[in-house]
Every structure is written in C-alpha cells, then in structure tokens.
Amino acid sequence: MTVVTDDKKGVAARRSDRAEAPGARAAAELAASGALDDLFAKIDAGAIELTGDGGFIPGLIKAAVERGLQAELTSHVGYDKGDPNAALFDNSRNGTTPKTVLTQVGDVDLDVPRDRLGTFCPQLVPKGARRLGGIDEMIISLYAGGMTVRDIEHFLASTLGAELSRETISKITDQVCDEVAQWQQRPLDALYPVIFLDAIVVKVRDGAHVTNRSAHIAVGVDMDGIKHVLGIWIQTSEGAKFWAGVCADLANRGVRDVLIVCCDGLTGLPEAIEATWRHATVQTCVVHLIRASMRFVGYQDRKAVAAALRPVYTAANAAAARTELDTFTDSTWGKKYPHAVATWNAAWERFIPFLAFPPELRRVIYTTNSIESLNYQLRKVSKNRGHFPNDAAVVKLLWLAICNIEDKRARDRAKEKGLPPDQRKAAGRLVEGQVVTNWKQALAQLALIYPERINQHL
C-alpha cells in the first residue's frame, strides 16, 4: 500500500492546477485529437527542432505575435487586410519592416506591419523594443541572484543563443535604479524603538585603485514589532562624519526619535546618534562583544571561557556584572587570556546599558543576529564579484538581493500553504516584515521605561 504524504498531496494539487490551465488544456486536447501527430513524427525524426534558431516554438511565437500586430494595424487603419474598400480610408497598409526580438526561447524574426502615414505605434511590440516575454525580468533576477554581467551574457548565449552585449545587460539592470532611489528616500516612522546596524565589506573601484568599503545596513523595529530595512549606506569617509550623514538622512526622512541603537562598536556612531537623537541609548551588541573577547582564545578553551564569561552578561545589574568580570579577571582563564578581559573593559560603558533592561527587552537587543543573517546571505550574492564599479552598483545589487531573498522565501511558503505547521519546511521572513518574538512583552517594558516617549505613539 502506498502512503501519500501531505507534501506529495501539495505537489499533486499544483500539478493538477497547471494541467487545468487554459493553455495546458488546449495543448492536451490537440494532442488527444491527433492534430499534432504529424508534428510529433517530424520531431521524432529530427526534422523539426522545438527550440533554438528555426525551432517550432519560436516559429509559433512569431505567428502569434504577427497575428496580433496585424489585428492592431486593422484597428488603427479601420479596415481588414484585403478589404476591397481600402481605398476609401485615409490611411492604408504599407508592407512590413523586419525586426528581431529576444524571447525566453531565443531570437524571433518578426515582420512588423506599417501604415502609409507612419502613425501606427504597436503596443504588442513597441517601437524600440528588442526583448519580449519577461527577458528583462529574467536578467534582473539572475543579477539579483549573484551572477555578474559577464556570467549573464554567457548564460543567454549558451541557453538561448542570444547575443546581448554587456552594455545592454547593464542598462537592463539599471532599470531598477529609480526604484532603489525611491526606496532609499521613502518616508519613515517618527519613532523606532530599536534600530540594528551592521555592515559587510565590499570592494569598490576608486579611480585606478580598488578599495575595501563597508556597506552599512540599518534594520528598524517599528511600534508593531515588525522589522524593516531602513537603508543602505556605503562608507566613504571615516568615523563621525559618515555617521552624522547617516543619522541626518534618517532624521530628514521622518525619524524623530530612537530608543535603542544596537551596533558593533562603530567609531563615531555614538556621538552622531546622541547629536541627532539626544536621549537615544547606544548599545554594543553582546554577541559581537563575546566573539571579540574570544578572538585570541585557544580553540580547546573556548567553551570553558565562554561559560566563565556568561555570568557577566546575564548579571542582574551593572554592579553585579562588574563583580563577575573582576572574578573572571582573577580566575585562571582571565590570567591566561588577558586580551579577553581588556575587550570587555574597553567596551564596558557601551555594554552596561543592556543590563538596566528586564529579560523580555534584553532578548530583543541582545544581538544583531537577525541583520547578520541577512548580511550572510548578501555576502553569498556579492562574493562572485571581484569588485564593483561604483557605490551605486553596490546599493543596487544589495537591494535586489534583499527583494530576491524575501520573494523566494515567500514562494516557498506559498507552496506549503494549507499544510499542518509541523510539516512546513519553508523558511520564514529573513528580515523585512519579520515580527520580533514576544514583542508585546518587550513593548510593555519599553512603555514603563520610556513612558513619555512611547505613549504618544501608541
């Protein structure tokens, strides 16, 4: 007896939906009627190719598109082709113009009809259009997935036989630049209780040199506990000057207050935050601090040292944490690894604000791991490139990658819709739109700590 699982049922349901689509049903009816038997025989004999130059499917597309173009021209001039009364109309047909367009099955040669007065502007294949059938969307998707312009050029040539220049491919991907600019300048909420900041390092050409630059990404948690990517900034200057520009950008887009900014000890950021949002708390990411303190700890000792440090960041308050750090300093591990102690002492003033918060809120600001997960995915996309030509290219790719990642996860979740929760394997939202766990409890604690700043936004 064969057991059909819910996963298989879901696949079977999707296959059934596709089989019932009008196009699939029409093809099945033609095959069942025997109308395609001669075609199948020629395909089997190798006399006809399905795809590629001169293939059946490109020929079918050509016939369908030209039929549509002729219908458009008929509507434009006002009479059917071959109409004996054509001379009575002001405008008339005037032959065709050859045109080659790229489709998802390769190049298709079209004969585009034209009119005598030159006023016909087809909508099916607009003037100047050289690509049909989602080719632009395909190229943008490949680019967002991490393929370089050179890779896409080779892919199109090897799979579709299409010869698109790198300049054309670049222009296609640049179509999203306006959307990126609108996203980067969109209005933001007046208050974000928590903002996380982290960065990935990218290589960008600067004149005759290639330099390392940090692409900083800010993720804000709104009053509903939903995470949003607020922006991407490429660091072109050091320290306070750069961060002053980032804070000014957020303020100009409507952010009037931030309660807590969680980051990894970025130079100049605390001063810029305090100058823009005077009452904001800048909190060092505890996980980053732990990692930094373990940098020079031998691998065989890491578990023991991490366990010895745990009482420091789980202490009830700053005084208790200081006592625990002193205890660690005087211990065997503290004496063996003084660098670990020095790391905690150097970051102490930016670490202790964390200890003033209750457990529900500590879990929210404990780490920037959510944004680090995003950055991990972005690194996989950007690693194929030796370097970027400019800062705008970095922002374009990262924005496309974020959209691509979230869309892919959304499609996976849609496939599992209707399955019991314990059988769903699709990943949730990575960052954009993700809801913070136990946010209601954390918000209640924030309202107690910052009543005058929170209540006006509730």
Side-chain angles (χ1 to χ4, degrees):
M1 179 179 177
T2 302
V3 178
V4 180
T5 65
D6 287 333
D7 284 347
K8 291 181 179 178
K9 288 180 181 178
V11 172
R14 290 192 294 275
R15 292 186 63 181
S16 176
D17 290 341
R18 288 195 291 268
E20 291 301 316
R25 193 163 57 246
E29 290 172 355
L30 279 175
S33 70
L36 301 178
D37 289 349
D38 289 343
L39 174 64
F40 292 153
K42 292 178 181 179
I43 293 173
D44 293 340
I48 291 178
E49 295 291 335
L50 275 177
T51 59
D53 289 342
F56 173 73
I57 293 179
L60 189 61
I61 292 174
K62 170 182 170 67
V65 172
E66 288 181 351
R67 180 175 179 273
L69 290 172
Q70 288 291 349
E72 283 191 50
L73 183 61
T74 295
S75 175
H76 182 72
V77 298
Y79 66 90
D80 292 324
K81 189 174 183 179
D83 190 331
N85 297 319
L88 301 177
F89 293 86
D90 295 333
N91 202 356
S92 62
R93 286 175 160 80
N94 189 31
T96 60
T97 300
K99 182 174 187 175
T100 301
V101 294
L102 174 61
T103 71
Q104 290 177 311
V105 296
D107 287 337
V108 172
D109 297 323
L110 297 176
D111 292 319
V112 180
R114 60 191 182 209
D115 63 328
R116 183 73 62 183
L117 299 180
T119 56
F120 176 53
C121 296
Q123 300 300 308
L124 191 58
V125 185
K127 290 184 177 180
R130 294 294 176 182
R131 298 174 298 277
L132 296 179
I135 285 294
D136 286 11
E137 290 78 5
M138 177 195 293
I139 290 173
I140 291 172
S141 178
L142 293 172
Y143 186 84
M147 292 181 68
T148 64
V149 170
R150 188 187 299 270
D151 293 336
I152 296 172
E153 178 189 34
H154 174 71
F155 173 81
L156 294 175
S158 60
T159 58
L160 302 182
E163 298 294 337
L164 276 187
S165 68
R166 295 171 199 170
E167 292 76 13
T168 300
I169 295 172
S170 292
K171 288 179 181 178
I172 293 172
T173 61
D174 284 343
Q175 292 174 8
V176 302
C177 288
D178 288 342
E179 292 182 59
V180 175
Q182 291 175 8
W183 173 80
Q184 193 83 325
Q185 297 167 11
R186 74 193 189 282
L188 300 175
D189 292 349
L191 171 66
Y192 285 93
V194 185
I195 287 180
F196 300 96
L197 282 166
D198 202 5
I200 64 172
V201 176
V202 293
K203 295 183 182 296
V204 180
R205 177 166 291 281
D206 184 8
H209 304 282
V210 174
T211 60
N212 286 340
R213 291 186 182 174
S214 296
H216 292 277
I217 299 175
V219 172
V221 180
D222 66 17
M223 289 293 291
D224 296 320
I226 300 174
K227 296 178 182 177
H228 304 277
V229 180
L230 304 183
I232 302 170
W233 297 271
I234 309 302
Q235 187 159 2
T236 55
S237 58
E238 293 297 326
K241 182 179 179 181
F242 168 74
W243 287 114
V246 171
C247 293
D249 182 34
L250 291 172
N252 290 337
R253 290 163 60 193
V255 181
R256 296 290 172 261
D257 195 8
V258 177
L259 302 184
I260 303 166
V261 179
C262 187
C263 60
D264 178 25
L266 300 168
T267 304
L269 176 61
E271 294 78 9
I273 290 288
E274 290 162 3
T276 309
W277 304 292
R278 189 160 51 93
H279 300 293
T281 298
V282 180
Q283 171 65 50
T284 293
C285 170
V286 178
V287 171
H288 273 96
L289 188 53
I290 295 170
R291 289 175 185 166
S293 63
M294 305 289 259
R295 189 168 297 154
F296 297 104
V297 175
Y299 184 79
Q300 70 282 3
D301 295 333
R302 287 192 174 185
K303 285 187 178 180
V305 173
L309 284 171
R310 181 176 174 80
V312 178
Y313 57 85
T314 57
N317 51 53
R322 183 75 256 181
T323 301
E324 295 293 348
L325 183 59
D326 291 340
T327 301
F328 176 82
T329 303
D330 296 333
S331 69
T332 303
W333 297 123
K335 292 176 181 177
K336 185 175 181 179
Y337 297 110
H339 173 79
V341 177
T343 301
W344 283 86
N345 283 327
W348 192 254
E349 292 302 318
R350 294 300 176 188
F351 160 69
I352 55 175
F354 165 84
L355 301 172
F357 300 123
E360 294 84 0
L361 192 51
R362 287 190 188 188
R363 281 193 286 271
V364 174
I365 63 173
Y366 171 73
T367 177
T368 58
N369 270 355
S370 61
I371 193 171
E372 286 186 38
S373 298
L374 172 63
N375 285 347
Y376 172 74
Q377 298 293 333
L378 297 181
R379 287 188 188 96
K380 291 199 298 185
V381 172
S382 62
K383 69 180 181 180
N384 290 338
R385 288 162 171 74
H387 64 272
F388 291 87
N390 50 55
D391 293 346
V394 179
V395 176
K396 177 178 72 174
L397 174 66
L398 296 183
W399 179 81
L400 280 171
I402 292 170
C403 296
N404 192 48
I405 291 167
E406 297 294 1
D407 287 347
K408 188 183 298 182
R409 291 189 171 209
R411 287 195 300 271
D412 291 341
R413 291 194 299 274
K415 291 177 182 178
E416 296 182 350
K417 187 177 181 180
L419 293 179
D422 60 339
Q423 295 181 12
R424 297 177 187 175
K425 300 177 182 178
R429 295 176 183 271
L430 183 58
V431 168
E432 184 66 40
Q434 183 189 58
V435 180
V436 174
T437 304
N438 297 323
W439 174 249
K440 293 296 183 182
Q441 293 89 329
L443 183 61
Q445 296 295 335
L446 285 171
L448 291 174
I449 299 169
Y450 307 106
E452 69 285 353
R453 296 164 68 186
I454 283 281
N455 291 337
Q456 60 178 310
H457 297 282
L458 290 176

